[in-house]
Amino acid sequence: MGDRKRVCIVGSGNWGSAIAKVLGTNVKTLDQFETQINMWVFEEDINGRKLTEIINTDHENVKYLPGHKIPENVIAIPDVVEAAKDADILVFVIPHQFLPKICGQLKSSVKPTAVGISLIKGFNMKEGGGIALISSVVEDTLHIPCAVLMGANIADEVASENYCEATIGIKQKEHGTLLKKLFQADYFRIVVCEDEDTVEICGALKNIVAVGAGFADGLGYGDNTKAAVIRLGLMEMVKFCEAFYHGSSQSTFLESCGVADLVTTCYAGRNRKVAEAFVKSKKSIEELEKEMLNGQKLQGPPTAEEVNFMLKSKGMEDRFPMFTAVHKICKGQLPVEEFINCLKNHPEHM
């Protein structure tokens, strides 16, 4: 059978803690994996106790996923290098802004035979006007292959074992079977897809559309308007893949990583919620993130900025009016009331 694989979860926020429940439960019954999972936790003090100590004794992440037990075989470790030492599978689930720094810390200690899988939604800005996929940051820094997992997955619902689906995008087929075994549960169905870039791009871009959906909600529009936001947003997602990542398969947009994740995020995600509050409260995105998210990070506004960085450098802002409007509204360069005009005048209507 070969050696059992060691799993490390790099990150322990809302989604990281939910996925720790899935993986921690799965490895107890699968003989391909070691039963202990290390989870890197950014150390914080919660009412005089260290968060790692709370997780390791009470088996609950009281800050980011309260009310849900994390299996006892998931061990919280505050040092990322120690947590990832000897890991065969590295599960990355941290805000995308922090990934380059974390990969830099891990560079000299990761096994050359290890495999990464990114649950991170966003892009990394490159100097000179381009953007890099998050999986490529892992691959280029750590020199290991990196798959992606994306889908319509609200963390609290996954932790409550509500049925849902996710898509694993992976170029190396031989790793796909192992990763599906690690992640799949009777309430968490995994489809493996070779169109890895499209799977990952959908996961990043849908957060921009969700901000637009929140603007529409904040402005007092109903479900018909939101349906238009979702449809036009999906069109821009497809067009973005066609323009920058040749070889995208249209069928990938029909997987959980595509239209399903888009719908869920536009109705239930934190990006939508904060964008609605942005319209109603007149406060900045940064203020609202601090007030509303209990330490979690928003991904929509920084992703809109990263995408705009690329579109602007290529003179393509006009071809992606929703992505462009969301960025400009978040930055205070366009009044939010103009968002509906961007829908009415969208080239998809011309």
Side-chain angles (χ1 to χ4, degrees):
M1 195 226 50
D3 293 337
R4 289 172 180 258
K5 305 288 186 192
R6 291 177 187 274
V7 179
C8 171
I9 301 171
V10 181
S12 58
N14 184 240
W15 186 211
S17 298
I19 221 66
K21 180 182 173 184
V22 176
L23 303 190
T25 305
N26 284 352
V27 296
K28 290 179 188 175
T29 59
L30 295 168
D31 60 8
Q32 293 97 329
F33 304 99
E34 289 284 356
T35 52
Q36 179 178 314
I37 291 179
N38 288 353
M39 177 168 74
W40 173 61
V41 174
F42 180 76
E43 193 67 281
E44 300 178 59
D45 278 328
I46 313 287
N47 300 324
R49 292 175 73 195
K50 290 195 178 332
L51 184 54
T52 51
E53 183 224 324
I54 295 170
I55 293 170
N56 289 334
T57 43
D58 303 352
H59 308 292
E60 182 183 349
N61 189 332
V62 293
K63 179 163 185 184
Y64 295 110
L65 195 69
H68 296 283
K69 286 293 178 191
I70 292 172
E72 293 178 16
N73 56 320
V74 176
I75 309 299
I77 297 174
D79 181 311
V80 72
V81 175
E82 187 192 333
K85 194 173 62 182
D86 299 326
D88 299 293
I89 298 171
L90 291 159
V91 180
F92 291 95
V93 54
I94 53 177
H96 75 280
Q97 303 93 309
F98 303 144
L99 185 72
K101 183 185 173 192
I102 292 297
C103 284
Q105 290 174 260
L106 293 174
K107 193 159 58 172
S108 57
S109 58
V110 164
K111 273 185 175 179
T113 53
V115 175
I117 180 164
S118 167
L119 281 61
I120 300 170
K121 296 174 175 178
F123 293 107
N124 189 49
M125 277 199 210
K126 291 196 297 197
E127 285 178 31
I131 52 179
L133 297 177
I134 291 297
S135 60
S136 73
V137 176
V138 174
E139 291 176 342
D140 295 346
T141 314
L142 303 182
H143 308 295
I144 60 171
C146 186
V148 297
L149 182 145
M150 304 285 153
N153 307 136
I154 300 290
D156 287 14
E157 294 184 20
V158 175
S160 299
E161 302 188 13
N162 292 357
Y163 177 77
C164 65
E165 304 172 315
T167 313
I168 288 180
I170 187 159
K171 296 185 183 91
Q172 295 84 2
K173 258 187 173 169
E174 67 275 17
H175 299 312
T177 311
L178 186 70
L179 291 173
K180 180 171 179 168
K181 275 204 172 95
L182 177 61
F183 281 88
Q184 183 152 280
D186 60 351
Y187 61 89
F188 192 56
R189 181 172 172 267
I190 302 291
V191 173
V192 178
C193 163
E194 287 179 54
D195 189 8
E196 183 179 326
D197 289 353
T198 308
V199 172
E200 183 168 1
I201 293 161
C202 284
L205 296 180
K206 57 95 191 184
N207 281 326
I208 305 176
V209 185
V211 174
F215 291 158
D217 287 341
L219 291 164
Y221 292 92
D223 286 339
N224 294 344
T225 309
K226 192 179 286 191
V229 171
I230 291 171
R231 188 189 78 81
L232 294 167
L234 182 60
M235 297 302 286
E236 291 197 14
M237 287 164 63
V238 172
K239 198 188 288 184
F240 188 91
C241 287
E242 285 171 352
F244 299 113
Y245 295 90
H246 307 298
S248 283
S249 166
Q250 291 280 331
S251 63
T252 307
F253 294 97
L254 299 177
E255 295 292 349
S256 183
C257 61
V259 69
D261 195 6
L262 184 60
V263 170
T264 298
T265 311
C266 286
Y267 276 94
R270 67 184 80 151
N271 290 281
R272 187 219 64 79
K273 186 169 88 173
V274 173
E276 180 182 17
F278 172 82
V279 180
K280 291 179 170 174
S281 70
K282 308 294 184 199
K283 292 179 180 175
S284 73
I285 294 285
E286 292 75 19
E287 282 176 273
L288 292 166
E289 185 180 60
K290 284 196 185 85
E291 277 177 29
M292 296 174 69
L293 296 185
N294 188 34
Q296 294 179 84
K297 291 290 179 192
L298 271 190
Q299 299 303 316
T303 304
E305 184 172 7
E306 288 144 13
V307 165
N308 189 258
F309 182 64
M310 186 162 173
L311 295 178
K312 201 170 186 177
S313 72
K314 298 189 182 303
M316 293 172 74
E317 284 178 298
D318 291 350
R319 287 183 56 192
F320 296 88
M322 187 186 297
F323 291 171
T324 302
V326 166
H327 167 66
K328 288 185 171 172
I329 291 165
C330 288
K331 286 292 182 190
Q333 297 164 9
L334 188 71
V336 71
E337 292 73 21
E338 286 296 311
F339 182 69
I340 297 303
N341 289 333
C342 122
L343 303 185
K344 290 177 183 171
N345 303 321
H346 202 282
E348 294 299 335
H349 290 146
M350 303 301 175

